[in-house]
Amino acid sequence: MNRIVLLSDGGPESLVASLLLLEDQRSRNTSLSRFALGCQIDHSVKPPHLHSSRRDCIEAHSNLIDSQGLEFMPEGCSLLLILARAVELAGPDGGIYWPVRCGDDLDFMKRTMETSLDLVRTNTTINGHAGPELMLPLLDLDHIQVAELAGELDA
């Protein structure tokens, strides 16, 4: 099954990515089903605990995108494991929305891009194709730009 998978930690970046996902699907006129994966988004910091309020926000993001399912990754999971699960959920012709935000931290951006390329290489080696499209719509934005984008999207 091919679908769009939203990685969500319940934060504002995940909310903005949810709205961008919906806009993108409308503009592409696609009918891929959607799935939400509750997990850590930013691996440059200690992961937030998914307290009930954070889980509630993830569930709200899942509802916003009309997700057909919601799954939570175990706390402390590696980024590679999270992305591997997202690839499995998305299917070979699906997509993954990863709302990671690096801002102007070039080292973090480099590590994020290396991880993305490693994922594509690994998937290609195992399955013979690059796998689902990996979308990082907030990659080079800072906090203020994400807030401005949220306002533009009426978040």
Side-chain angles (χ1 to χ4, degrees), residues 88-147:
E88 182 180 14
L89 290 167
D93 296 318
I96 300 168
Y97 268 78
W98 180 16
V100 64
R101 184 193 55 72
C102 299
D104 60 1
D105 184 341
L106 296 179
D107 186 52
F108 183 40
M109 188 176 297
K110 178 184 174 211
R111 287 191 321 262
T112 300
M113 296 311 298
E114 286 172 350
T115 300
S116 301
L117 289 172
D118 288 346
L119 180 69
V120 170
R121 277 191 216 106
T122 302
N123 201 56
T124 302
T125 301
I126 293 170
N127 298 316
H129 53 79
E133 182 179 3
L134 185 59
M135 291 155 278
L136 300 98
L138 311 176
L139 184 66
D140 60 344
L141 302 183
D142 61 29
H143 290 290
I144 294 170
Q145 291 169 314
V146 171

Side-chain angles (χ1 to χ4, degrees), residues 4-151:
I4 302 294
V5 177
L6 170 70
L7 304 182
S8 175
D9 66 356
E13 289 86 358
S14 299
L15 173 60
V16 170
S18 300
L19 296 168
L20 290 172
L21 181 158
L22 292 173
E23 264 193 20
D24 186 43
Q25 282 211 297
R26 274 192 291 270
S27 70
R28 291 185 192 205
N29 198 23
T30 62
S31 59
L32 287 177
S33 63
R34 294 169 280 247
F35 194 93
L37 186 61
C39 59
Q40 179 183 356
I41 299 298
D42 182 350
H43 280 63
S44 70
V45 296
K46 185 177 179 202
H49 292 290
L50 294 179
H51 297 291
S52 62
S53 60
R54 209 41 114 129
R55 284 182 170 268
D56 289 346
C57 289
I58 293 169
E59 289 174 8
H61 298 163
S62 177
N63 291 334
L64 178 66
I65 65 168
D66 195 25
S67 176
Q68 291 185 335
L70 170 62
E71 181 178 308
F72 289 93
M73 294 296 291
E75 287 189 35
C77 237
S78 74
L79 176 58
L80 194 54
L81 184 59
I82 290 168
L83 292 173
R85 181 63 181 142
V87 166
E88 182 180 14
L89 290 167
D93 296 318
I96 300 168
Y97 268 78
W98 180 16
V100 64
R101 184 193 55 72
C102 299
D104 60 1
D105 184 341
L106 296 179
D107 186 52
F108 183 40
M109 188 176 297
K110 178 184 174 211
R111 287 191 321 262
T112 300
M113 296 311 298
E114 286 172 350
T115 300
S116 301
L117 289 172
D118 288 346
L119 180 69
V120 170
R121 277 191 216 106
T122 302
N123 201 56
T124 302
T125 301
I126 293 170
N127 298 316
H129 53 79
E133 182 179 3
L134 185 59
M135 291 155 278
L136 300 98
L138 311 176
L139 184 66
D140 60 344
L141 302 183
D142 61 29
H143 290 290
I144 294 170
Q145 291 169 314
V146 171
E148 288 170 350
L149 183 55

